[in-house]
Amino acid sequence: MSLKRQLLIASLLTLLIPWLGLQFVLELDGALRQQAQGQLLEQAQRMAVQTNPLLQRQPAVFHGTPALFAHTLSHAPNLDGFGDDWPGYDEEFDDGPLDDPNTPLGWQLAVDRDHLYLLVKARRPQPRYFDPGQPHQPHDHLRLVWTRSGERVERLIRTPAPGPVVGWQPQDDPRPDYRIRGFWQAHGNGYQLELQLPRPEPGERFSFAIIQPDQAGVPPSHGPGLTTLPRLVTRAPLLEQALTRGLAPGQQAAILDPAGWRVAWSERPAAPDSPDFDSLSPLQIVERISLNGLRGLVRFYQPSPARWPLLADRQPIEQLPEQGLIDNGDGPALLVSQPLADGRRLVLVQSLDQLLTLSGSALGTVIARSTLLVIALMLVLLGYSSWLSWRITRLQRAVSSSVDQDGRIIAALPPVRGRDEVSELGHQFRLLMDKLQGYTDYLESFSRRLTHELKTPVAIVRSSLDNLAHTSPTADQQAYLDRVRQATERLSQILQGMSEAARLEQSFDHAEHEPFDLAEVATQATHAYQALSPGHRIQYQGPDQGCQFHGSPELLVQLLDKLVDNARDFTPTAGLIEIRLSADPGHWRLAVYNQGSALPDALASEIFNPFVSLRDSKGEGHLGQGLLIVRLIAEHHQGEARASNADDGVEFSILLPRPSQAGHA
């Protein structure tokens, strides 16, 4: 594993710190939610004790009891027949909370302190208005019915034309009731009626029906109905005032009837914790972003909240949990419910934004700052690891470019500055390369100096032997002289081979490479060997042309010379010597085969090493320098030299890379 990856893993391990901090925050959040749940339940119990006496003035509405809900208005609407100042109003008849596409009628009820307001929208393209001259003629009108101290009260709203209206008593001799007033407004799709009535007492009933006679005069009615009067349900201001006094910042409270109607609702907004953006420093902005991310993580790991629309006019009270985590549209919140008199329930909701782990508290700020610090530290470590890896890679490239493929030192390492361990390593590499360069120069010149130094004593010995040849030695002396002469010739050939190998290695640096046809070189060399070796059968096997290669043809001819010369020494008279050229996958195979004795298995892999020879020790001084030269030329061309036993002989093969796989040496 690279150093950069190791430092990356070490940097990633620092993320355990914010992870552990997150686990602590999650545990703290759970503990705070449990504590807040208990405190919220105690608060709900105290509020239930305070509100129970007030509920006696507000009769409960149970399941199965028909009821109409009236919204509470902050100010009285303008009685102009337009509902744009009503909550939730929409101009389109088929849209908005007042409309039911299956009925030609929509309505909305609202109350203030003293009055009840009714907004009716009727779909009636051609309404039939009241004719004062024919009062019994069928016409469109609105019937209002409510109870007062248990007695039924009824009024009519009719008009000969759109405009202001008042209530009328349904008698043969009707009289107006000016406590009921409003406006009848026509529109392209029908008409709209806006009325103001006296507000019924709590627990009283109220209903209405709009009569729209058809062409035959049959008066069908639309609306809640007049047979069974619904209860009028509104929010109680006294209850809401009592709830408001018991609320803390960030809390909401509601009282629900047994039928689920919301008869009281109050809230106390939390103090905003978002300062002016322009007043924040860059660090504080980053802290805010991190804190919001922390809140998102905490909410992600919290239990899934149940959906509970606290602002709805009517809610399924049978599905109301006693306590738990809910989503009321503004985010997660804690909910507790407390039973009240007559089957009512008190619902108290606490926003989670007020808890310590989710607010802009000191703990949240510390967690956010530590997270930012760890991220910054990780980035610094990553940058440092990248810089350190780059320095080591640069040192590696410098070392690699200082040595060629043959192991020769071709350039000195550049000086390294710095006092750390990497700089010291580069300095030691530079010293090592300098010492290796000196040692290599010594080895390359050693054979030259040794050959030069030994030539003089060999010449002296040879001249002494020539002088002794002019004397009359005895038979025993002549035998010793012959042995000395043979040893001298052997030593002379050894020196010549060493000198030739040294000159060859030096010539590699100046050898010119060019593209040529390897088949033509092998064919021409074979013809030359045939003329020089009449005692052997020398022939060529392979293509005559088309074997392109990039290298030095002179060095390859020298390689063939050494292989053929070696083959002559081991091939019997009239034996076969064959130069072979073939194409193998990825390389050319240039081989020299000769008939004769086989190679020993122990020397098959060492035959190309220096001072290894299979010739008789009584022969001339061959110590394997020829095959060493063969191996050096093959390696110079990025090739490989091999020796193996073949049928009735030995084959020396040279594998040379083809131009598509070989670079220019």
Side-chain angles (χ1 to χ4, degrees):
M1 185 180 295
S2 64
L3 180 62
K4 186 175 182 180
R5 290 187 178 181
Q6 295 178 16
L7 291 176
L8 175 61
I9 294 175
S11 301
L12 292 177
L13 290 178
T14 59
L15 292 178
L16 291 175
I17 299 175
W19 180 81
L20 292 174
L22 176 61
Q23 299 305 311
F24 171 73
V25 169
L26 293 177
E27 292 183 5
L28 181 60
D29 175 70
L32 288 177
R33 277 192 286 111
Q34 271 189 335
Q35 181 182 4
Q37 193 92 40
Q39 294 176 351
L40 206 62
L41 184 59
E42 294 177 359
Q43 183 182 357
Q45 292 171 353
R46 292 194 301 268
M47 295 175 66
V49 173
Q50 297 172 0
T51 56
N52 266 326
L54 299 176
L55 292 175
Q56 298 176 0
R57 306 177 186 178
Q58 187 82 12
V61 179
F62 296 91
H63 285 285
T65 301
L68 294 178
F69 186 79
H71 296 274
T72 301
L73 298 178
S74 58
H75 61 277
N78 184 21
L79 300 177
D80 54 2
F82 296 101
D84 50 358
D85 52 354
W86 283 67
Y89 177 81
D90 195 283
E91 289 290 344
E92 296 294 334
F93 186 86
D94 293 334
D95 296 331
L98 301 182
D99 301 314
D100 184 353
N102 298 322
T103 63
L105 187 69
W107 69 85
Q108 185 172 355
L109 289 169
V111 295
D112 60 10
R113 182 174 181 180
D114 300 318
H115 299 93
L116 171 67
Y117 298 92
L118 173 63
L119 177 64
V120 177
K121 297 199 300 183
R123 185 186 291 111
R124 182 74 163 170
Q126 296 179 352
R128 302 174 68 177
Y129 290 103
F130 172 69
D131 186 358
Q134 297 180 353
H136 299 289
Q137 194 75 13
H139 57 276
D140 288 23
H141 62 279
L142 179 68
R143 296 181 63 186
L144 301 172
V145 180
W146 67 91
T147 60
R148 181 188 303 156
S149 300
E151 295 183 1
R152 183 183 178 102
V153 180
E154 184 173 350
R155 295 291 184 267
L156 299 178
I157 304 296
R158 59 189 182 184
T159 181
V165 296
V166 296
W168 293 87
Q169 299 179 4
Q171 300 173 357
D172 294 337
D173 184 17
R175 288 177 296 176
D177 186 351
Y178 292 104
R179 295 178 304 168
I180 302 174
R181 62 188 184 89
F183 201 93
W184 189 302
Q185 184 66 258
H187 58 77
N189 206 24
Y191 51 85
Q192 191 162 278
L193 185 60
E194 189 175 16
L195 297 175
Q196 173 184 292
L197 302 83
R199 178 172 179 173
E201 295 296 327
E204 298 290 349
R205 297 178 181 271
F206 173 83
S207 186
F208 64 92
I210 191 164
I211 312 301
Q212 296 177 340
D214 56 14
Q215 298 296 331
V218 178
S221 63
H222 305 284
L226 303 177
T227 304
T228 302
L229 299 183
R231 284 278 300 278
L232 183 64
V233 180
T234 62
R235 286 162 44 187
L238 293 179
L239 287 176
E240 293 183 343
Q241 293 175 7
L243 293 179
T244 303
R245 289 193 296 268
L247 292 180
Q251 290 183 344
Q252 298 174 341
I255 295 179
L256 305 180
D257 264 342
W261 294 104
R262 187 181 61 169
V263 297
W265 179 80
S266 181
E267 71 171 340
R268 187 174 179 185
D273 62 344
S274 299
D276 185 13
F277 183 80
D278 296 333
S279 64
L280 296 177
S281 64
L283 180 60
Q284 290 175 329
I285 294 176
V286 175
E287 288 180 2
R288 286 280 169 179
I289 296 175
S290 303
L291 190 57
N292 290 334
L294 179 62
R295 291 179 179 178
L297 284 175
V298 173
R299 290 179 179 177
F300 178 78
Y301 286 104
Q302 282 177 347
S304 299
R307 182 67 180 175
W308 186 260
L310 191 64
L311 299 180
D313 295 332
R314 189 176 185 181
Q315 302 167 2
I317 193 172
E318 63 276 0
Q319 301 178 7
L320 179 66
E322 292 187 1
Q323 59 183 11
L325 192 64
I326 66 164
D327 184 4
N328 61 355
D330 297 330
L334 292 176
L335 177 144
V336 296
S337 62
Q338 183 68 21
L340 300 174
D342 298 330
R344 297 182 177 94
R345 295 193 75 88
L346 170 66
V347 180
L348 184 60
V349 175
Q350 168 73 60
S351 173
L352 285 184
D353 286 337
Q354 298 302 309
L355 293 182
L356 180 62
T357 56
L358 297 179
S359 65
S361 60
L363 177 60
T365 303
V366 168
I367 295 296
R369 289 185 178 182
S370 63
T371 303
L372 291 177
L373 180 62
V374 169
I375 293 176
L377 178 61
M378 185 179 68
L379 293 177
V380 170
L381 289 177
L382 287 177
Y384 174 73
S385 64
S386 300
W387 175 70
L388 186 60
S389 176
W390 174 78
R391 292 181 61 194
I392 296 176
T393 303
R394 185 180 62 174
L395 179 60
Q396 175 189 357
R397 291 176 179 174
V399 173
S400 300
S401 61
S402 300
V403 182
D404 63 5
Q405 297 179 352
D406 297 329
R408 297 174 179 270
I409 299 176
I410 57 177
L413 285 178
V416 182
R417 298 179 180 178
R419 297 182 179 181
D420 57 1
E421 288 78 357
V422 178
S423 301
E424 182 64 24
L425 179 62
H427 180 66
Q428 294 299 326
F429 265 119
R430 193 165 185 269
L431 293 178
L432 178 62
M433 298 296 287
D434 292 341
K435 292 180 180 179
L436 286 178
Q437 180 64 45
Y439 186 66
T440 302
D441 294 340
Y442 169 77
L443 291 179
E444 290 179 349
S445 62
F446 175 75
S447 60
R448 237 182 5 259
R449 292 200 301 267
L450 180 63
T451 302
H452 177 74
E453 294 296 332
L454 291 180
K455 280 183 178 180
T456 300
V458 169
I460 295 174
V461 172
R462 185 175 291 175
S463 62
S464 299
L465 291 175
D466 292 338
N467 293 331
L468 287 176
H470 297 290
T471 62
S472 298
T474 63
D476 293 338
Q477 291 175 343
Q478 186 62 42
Y480 289 122
L481 289 175
D482 292 339
R483 292 176 61 184
V484 171
R485 184 176 291 105
Q486 291 177 359
T488 304
E489 292 297 330
R490 185 178 181 185
L491 180 60
S492 178
Q493 291 187 6
I494 291 175
L495 295 177
Q496 181 179 357
M498 293 175 58
S499 177
E500 184 179 1
R503 288 196 305 272
L504 179 64
E505 289 190 76
Q506 292 179 354
S507 68
F508 287 161
D509 297 333
H510 307 286
E512 295 184 0
H513 287 219
E514 61 185 26
F516 64 93
D517 195 331
L518 191 59
E520 294 181 358
V521 172
T523 303
Q524 295 174 5
T526 302
H527 294 329
Y529 300 146
Q530 290 172 348
L532 296 176
S533 302
H536 297 92
R537 292 185 294 117
I538 300 179
Q539 61 187 27
Y540 170 74
Q541 178 182 348
D544 295 333
Q545 59 183 1
C547 300
Q548 294 298 319
F549 186 71
H550 191 279
S552 174
E554 292 80 7
L555 292 178
L556 290 179
V557 170
Q558 187 176 357
L559 179 145
L560 288 176
D561 291 344
K562 297 299 180 181
L563 290 178
V564 173
D565 182 62
N566 181 76
R568 290 196 194 99
D569 294 340
F570 293 95
T571 304
T573 305
L576 175 63
I577 299 177
E578 189 172 67
I579 300 175
R580 301 171 179 176
L581 179 61
S582 61
D584 288 351
H587 56 265
W588 300 113
R589 179 182 291 271
L590 179 62
V592 175
Y593 165 79
N594 68 277
Q595 291 180 339
S597 58
L599 288 174
D601 295 336
L603 294 179
S605 60
E606 301 178 1
I607 194 66
F608 294 99
N609 293 336
F611 304 108
V612 177
S613 177
L614 298 179
R615 290 178 174 83
D616 190 357
S617 60
K618 296 180 181 180
E620 296 181 350
H622 293 277
L623 286 183
Q625 298 298 318
L627 294 182
L628 172 63
I629 293 174
V630 169
R631 192 196 74 185
L632 293 177
I633 295 176
E635 292 177 351
H636 175 71
H637 288 86
Q638 302 178 17
E640 181 183 0
R642 298 179 181 178
S644 61
N645 293 319
D647 296 337
D648 300 329
V650 178
E651 181 182 74
F652 291 87
S653 57
I654 308 300
L655 303 181
L656 299 173
R658 299 174 72 170
S660 57
Q661 283 80 22
H664 295 177

